[in-house]
Amino acid sequence: MYLMRIGEPGAEKPVVRVDDGHYVDLSDVAGDFDEKFFGGGGLGRIRPIVEERVAAGRVSAFAGERVGAPIARPHQILCIGLNYRDHAAETGQAVPDEPILFTKSPNTLVGPDDDVRIPRGSTKPDWEVELGIVIGRRTSYLDSVADARAAIAGYLVVNDVSERAFQMERGGQWAKGKSAETFNPAGPWLVTPDEIDDVLALDLWLDVNGQRRQTGNTRTMIFDPYFIVHHLSQFMVLEPGDLINTGTPPGVGMGFRPPVWLRPGDVVELGIDGLGRQRQHVLAPR
């Protein structure tokens, strides 16, 4: 299934995409795609409902509605740094022995085509196309990497927007350069694992103003999604609906010589094979 939320901010309704033009409205049977939904077995509950409604022709046509993030604000957004070998190389940093973990404020989450706003005092705003993981059940102390598969509700496209000066030059935690408003566009869909042939063979790309900046494939991940979920479960409880950003391939702005930073007026487009695409306009600080 392809889970979506459409409507204005704060008033999104949960739907399942059928094709490019149609969806099944689930607002009468699912309050939202949130912690309660995932933790209460919502995916299994809606699957037969979706199949029944599609068979009966009970579908609606998209009519230009805003597309929100496909999940409601999560309990937490966890992020993995330097998780592509070729990205580590472009930044001149060593391949990590264990996943580098940082957090992102949950209120950074916005829709895939919402504006991205540069924060006040920013000098080095950057882009990062990433594969996102959504947790499907309360998870801790998984016994094996294989057990992580059952804990994953689905995958989605995320842009882990970053402010490198805040992140690298201001001391403290990376979260300072990751948590400005609008810094986590997500979607357009949350794709359940059964719809993906091989999550370790997905092409990722990102353009700025029509110029290709990032090209990668999940096969060059250092730590794959199952390893990441298992690893994190040893240190914390993962809640249903939690979002994990799994790292970015090469081509980020700070990797160019000289570096290239986002500016007001830029247009960023990005996507992952089978998971959809995003488009954001970059705005000046408010």
Side-chain angles (χ1 to χ4, degrees):
M1 294 184 292
Y2 295 74
L3 278 61
M4 300 180 66
R5 297 166 68 248
I6 59 175
E8 293 307 304
E12 297 93 342
K13 66 179 180 180
V15 306
V16 168
R17 173 184 177 271
V18 177
D19 54 38
D20 286 345
H22 301 88
Y23 66 87
V24 172
D25 187 345
L26 294 176
S27 56
D28 61 326
V29 295
D32 208 345
F33 296 143
D34 55 11
E35 181 177 350
K36 180 179 178 182
F37 171 83
F38 292 110
L43 286 176
R45 179 167 52 83
I46 67 169
R47 189 177 295 275
I49 296 173
V50 172
E51 293 173 351
E52 177 184 335
R53 292 184 178 182
V54 170
R58 293 179 58 189
V59 299
S60 302
F62 289 110
E65 300 95 339
R66 169 187 172 270
V67 177
I71 59 171
R73 183 182 296 185
H75 168 259
Q76 59 185 345
I77 299 177
L78 303 169
C79 305
I80 306 300
L82 292 178
N83 194 33
Y84 284 72
R85 294 183 184 277
D86 34 12
H87 173 52
E90 77 170 341
T91 63
Q93 300 183 70
V95 171
D97 295 325
E98 287 195 15
I100 296 172
L101 174 65
F102 61 94
T103 63
K104 201 161 191 166
S105 176
N107 65 7
T108 58
L109 192 70
V110 294
D113 300 326
D114 289 345
D115 296 331
V116 165
R117 186 175 294 278
I118 295 173
R120 294 181 186 180
S122 170
T123 59
K124 299 179 179 180
D126 206 346
W127 58 81
E128 295 190 24
V129 60
E130 302 195 9
L131 174 71
I133 301 169
V134 172
I135 297 299
R137 61 177 174 82
R138 200 165 196 262
T139 300
S140 62
Y141 296 120
L142 290 171
D143 291 330
S144 71
V145 170
D147 290 341
R149 292 176 182 266
I152 296 174
Y155 301 94
L156 70 166
V157 182
V158 295
N159 186 356
D160 179 21
V161 187
S162 307
E163 210 304 325
R164 302 301 188 187
F166 294 177
Q167 176 188 357
M168 312 295 280
E169 301 169 18
R170 297 293 297 271
Q173 298 294 317
W174 281 13
K176 291 163 62 174
K178 298 286 188 171
S179 293
E181 60 180 336
T182 75
F183 263 29
N184 207 115
W189 320 308
L190 175 66
V191 183
T192 53
D194 58 294
E195 300 281 1
I196 301 172
D197 290 335
D198 184 356
V199 74
L200 297 180
L202 300 177
D203 288 328
L204 305 87
W205 60 273
L206 182 144
D207 296 343
V208 180
N209 300 327
Q211 183 173 358
R212 182 59 44 92
R213 291 299 191 182
Q214 285 189 275
T215 302
N217 189 283
T218 53
R219 73 171 64 93
T220 68
M221 277 185 166
I222 300 167
F223 308 106
D224 68 41
Y226 313 119
F227 183 96
I228 290 169
V229 172
H230 171 262
H231 181 79
L232 295 182
S233 79
Q234 309 307 307
F235 301 98
M236 67 189 73
V237 177
L238 303 174
E239 299 288 358
D242 279 357
L243 174 61
I244 304 171
N245 297 341
T246 62
T248 197
V252 298
M254 72 172 177
F256 288 90
R257 298 293 179 267
V260 179
W261 308 117
L262 289 172
R263 294 180 293 183
D266 284 348
V267 176
V268 182
E269 297 177 273
L270 60 148
I272 301 177
D273 281 358
L275 304 187
R277 58 189 296 155
Q278 305 181 357
R279 188 174 193 268
Q280 296 115 32
H281 288 87
V282 178
L283 304 182
R286 62 182 177 87

